Amino acid sequence: MKPIRHIIAAASLALCTLPLHAADATYGSHGMALFGGQEGLYASHLPMFHAPHDYQVILQIRIADPATDAALRKRLDGKDKLWTIDPEKFELSALAPKAKAPRKEFTADLVQGHFERGGTSQYKAAKVVIDKVLLFRQLDDKPRDARISRYMQIGSGAQRFLVKQIDTRPDFDHIVAYHAAAGAPTAPVQVRKWGVKAAGNDALAQALKANQSAIGGTIYFETDDLK
């Protein structure tokens, strides 16, 4: 039998790894796609159909350090290369607009590429400030089909992004760059859905009543996490 002091020490060490309050089912490491540029920075939680990741969340963010914020915006501006956020563990529910104690910031590594698939950390332990929660909704894990994909527009100026609303199972996560004309509507658009195949630039342009050249490259596309 282990001495009582060893048991107490082990219990204390275990407690140190937990949040200071009782965590809910959304506590975990919530990776995010990072995109944007000079007109804004955004983070999109990489969701799955199970806890603690069963929420689609989109944030408007900034980096607390002005030099890092400016450098990141410059590196992302006009690019469709994937960057991701590898954050500290926290409760995703704290990002809900009506959370009792809403989280306003978190610490994260900012990674060029996918943080779990060979990406390279470019800015370590950066403080990410949440300026606005643009979307917070829990996913329905019941298998079902749909014939329409709905894309939200993120951003209101010339530099915008189209993000698919995840609303079926199986589904796909899709983020596309979009250069909007002056005064272009900001409302969501709908396109025909073909299983888990990404909407083409032609279909998106037609839904937006824009030239196909206005649709940029795909920043993020994922199906395996949403089976």
Side-chain angles (χ1 to χ4, degrees):
M1 179 179 291
K2 293 183 179 179
I4 188 66
R5 65 178 182 275
H6 290 173
I7 296 173
I8 293 173
S12 298
L13 181 61
L15 287 173
C16 289
T17 65
L18 296 174
L20 295 179
H21 62 285
D24 67 20
T26 68
Y27 180 78
S29 181
H30 298 290
M32 305 179 190
L34 172 64
F35 56 101
Q38 300 294 352
E39 295 184 22
L41 288 177
Y42 309 97
S44 179
H45 174 239
L46 306 181
M48 300 179 183
F49 284 110
H50 60 77
H53 304 297
D54 52 340
Y55 288 82
Q56 186 172 19
V57 183
I58 302 175
L59 309 173
Q60 184 169 351
I61 63 170
R62 58 186 163 87
I63 310 304
D65 177 61
T68 302
D69 186 82
L72 180 62
R73 288 171 189 260
K74 185 175 181 180
R75 293 184 71 174
L76 290 176
D77 203 43
K79 311 292 193 307
D80 55 20
K81 299 296 184 182
L82 176 64
W83 282 64
T84 52
I85 294 174
D86 184 11
E88 63 178 306
K89 290 185 177 182
F90 62 87
E91 291 171 287
L92 201 63
S93 60
L95 301 180
K98 295 183 179 180
K100 291 182 179 179
R103 178 173 279 270
K104 299 298 183 181
E105 61 184 39
F106 56 84
T107 300
D109 290 345
L110 309 180
V111 181
Q112 188 172 23
H114 198 299
F115 71 99
E116 290 182 324
R117 302 173 188 173
T120 304
S121 292
Q122 299 294 307
Y123 306 99
K124 289 185 174 291
K127 183 179 289 186
V128 178
V129 179
I130 301 166
D131 284 333
K132 189 175 182 180
V133 179
L134 303 176
L135 179 70
F136 186 94
R137 56 186 295 271
Q138 189 168 19
L139 302 183
D140 184 351
D141 66 351
K142 297 179 179 62
R144 62 191 185 89
D145 195 8
R147 296 186 178 183
I148 295 294
S149 288
R150 186 172 186 262
Y151 281 77
M152 301 165 284
Q153 294 195 53
I154 304 300
S156 57
Q159 188 178 70
R160 302 187 196 178
F161 302 89
L162 306 173
V163 181
K164 187 193 177 299
Q165 180 174 309
I166 297 166
D167 53 8
T168 62
R169 184 175 189 185
D171 210 344
F172 58 91
D173 200 353
H174 194 203
I175 304 173
V176 182
Y178 165 45
H179 185 83
T186 59
V189 295
Q190 294 182 346
V191 298
R192 178 71 182 271
K193 185 177 183 183
W194 303 95
V196 293
K197 182 179 178 181
N201 286 4
D202 54 345
L204 291 170
Q206 184 176 3
L208 290 160
K209 296 181 172 57
N211 292 326
Q212 189 168 330
S213 60
I215 310 300
T218 289
I219 295 169
Y220 184 70
F221 179 75
E222 174 66 34
T223 59
D224 286 347
D225 287 348
L226 291 167
K227 290 181 177 179

